[in-house]
Amino acid sequence: MRLITALVPLALATALTAPALAQEAPRPGTISIEGRAEVSAAPDTAFVTSGVTTQGETAREALDANTKAMADLIAALKASNIEAKDIQTSGFSVNPNYVYSDERDANGYSKPPKIAGYQVSNAVTVRVRDLPSLGQVLDKAVTVGANTINGVSFTVADPSKLYDEARKAAFADAKEKADLYAEVAGVGLSRILSISENQNFNQPPQPYMMKQSMADAGASPVPVQAGEMSFSVNVSVQWELSEGK
C-alpha cells in the first residue's frame, strides 16, 4: 500500500483552521460644542489715582511745594479710613517748563528754548474698600490740594465665586446645545472626552473711567455711580457619540 501525503499551503491551512478575524468596530463619532455664560455683580472696590502738580522758579521750590501738598493729601486719605497698605505712589516727575521764541540767529535757525521754571508732579493710587465713602474721599482729596484725578476704576475684590457661577452656566449652555444636535442627528451623547476653558484672567472686566481736573470741584461729595460689572466664561466640551439615544 502506497501512502500519499498532500501538502496544504500555509495561508490556506490557517484560513481553514483559525476562526475568521472579527471586523474592526467602527469608531464612534464625536461632537465639540462651545458654551458661554455671563454673570453680573455690583463692584465692591474702587481704585483712584490722584495727585498734585506744582510749579516753581527752581526745581527745589517746586519740589518743596509738592512735598507739602502730597503730605497733606496722604494724611487726608488716612483720615478717611484708607489704610497705608492701600496707598501706593504711582507716578513722580520733575520737568522744566520751556519758553519757545520766534527769534532766529544769524544763520536763520530758531533760537533754543529757555527754561522758565519747573513743574513737579506726584500721584498715588488708592484702593477704596468702602464704596459709599468714595465721593467723600474724592472731595477731601481735592480740598487738601489734589488738583488731578487721573482715573477711577471699579472692580470686585474676589470674583472667584462669580466665575464659578459663570462656569456652571457655560457648561449647561454647551450641554443643551449638544443634546439638541444629538437629537436632530438621531444619536446619543456618551462619555465626555475633553473640557477646556477659554478665559483671559489678565483682562479684568472693563471699569468705569473718569479723568478730569478737580480744581473747580464743589464742596459737596462727588457723585459717583459704580453700576454693575460683567464676568464671562467660554467653555469647549467634546463628547463621544453613541448609536441611538
Side-chain angles (χ1 to χ4, degrees), residues 46-108:
F47 288 91
V48 181
T49 301
S50 63
V52 177
T53 298
T54 54
Q55 308 282 342
E57 292 185 2
T58 65
R60 180 77 262 171
E61 180 181 332
L63 179 60
D64 288 344
N66 192 279
T67 299
K68 181 182 182 305
M70 282 301 298
D72 292 342
L73 172 59
I74 294 174
L77 292 172
K78 292 180 178 179
S80 299
N81 297 322
I82 304 296
E83 298 183 26
K85 66 179 181 180
D86 291 330
I87 304 174
Q88 184 179 55
T89 297
S90 55
F92 179 81
S93 64
V94 179
N95 295 298
N97 293 325
Y98 290 101
V99 174
Y100 294 85
S101 174
D102 293 332
E103 298 180 8
R104 297 180 179 274
D105 58 21
N107 296 319

Side-chain angles (χ1 to χ4, degrees), residues 41-46 131 134 154-155 206-208 223-229:
D44 57 15
T45 303
L131 278 189
L134 177 58
F154 297 98
T155 188
Q206 184 65 35
Y208 164 78
V224 178
Q225 298 295 321
E228 284 192 337
M229 306 185 70

Side-chain angles (χ1 to χ4, degrees), residues 174-185:
K175 180 66 163 54
E176 182 178 356
K177 294 175 184 176
D179 285 335
L180 175 62
Y181 281 115
E183 180 180 358
V184 173

Side-chain angles (χ1 to χ4, degrees), residues 150-237:
N150 295 322
V152 178
S153 62
F154 297 98
T155 188
V156 173
D158 183 9
S160 57
K161 291 184 179 180
L162 295 170
Y163 278 121
D164 286 345
E165 182 180 345
R167 289 183 179 101
K168 293 177 183 179
F171 182 87
D173 179 51
K175 180 66 163 54
E176 182 178 356
K177 294 175 184 176
D179 285 335
L180 175 62
Y181 281 115
E183 180 180 358
V184 173
V187 296
L189 297 180
S190 184
R191 62 192 178 114
I192 294 177
L193 299 179
S194 66
I195 300 176
S196 61
E197 180 181 297
N198 180 17
Q199 185 205 353
N200 189 349
F201 287 94
N202 292 325
Q203 296 182 354
Q206 184 65 35
Y208 164 78
M209 296 298 297
M210 178 177 70
K211 183 175 183 179
Q212 62 181 22
S213 173
M214 302 298 293
D216 298 326
S220 60
V222 179
V224 178
Q225 298 295 321
E228 284 192 337
M229 306 185 70
S230 297
F231 300 83
S232 62
V233 168
N234 294 335
V235 63
S236 179
V237 186

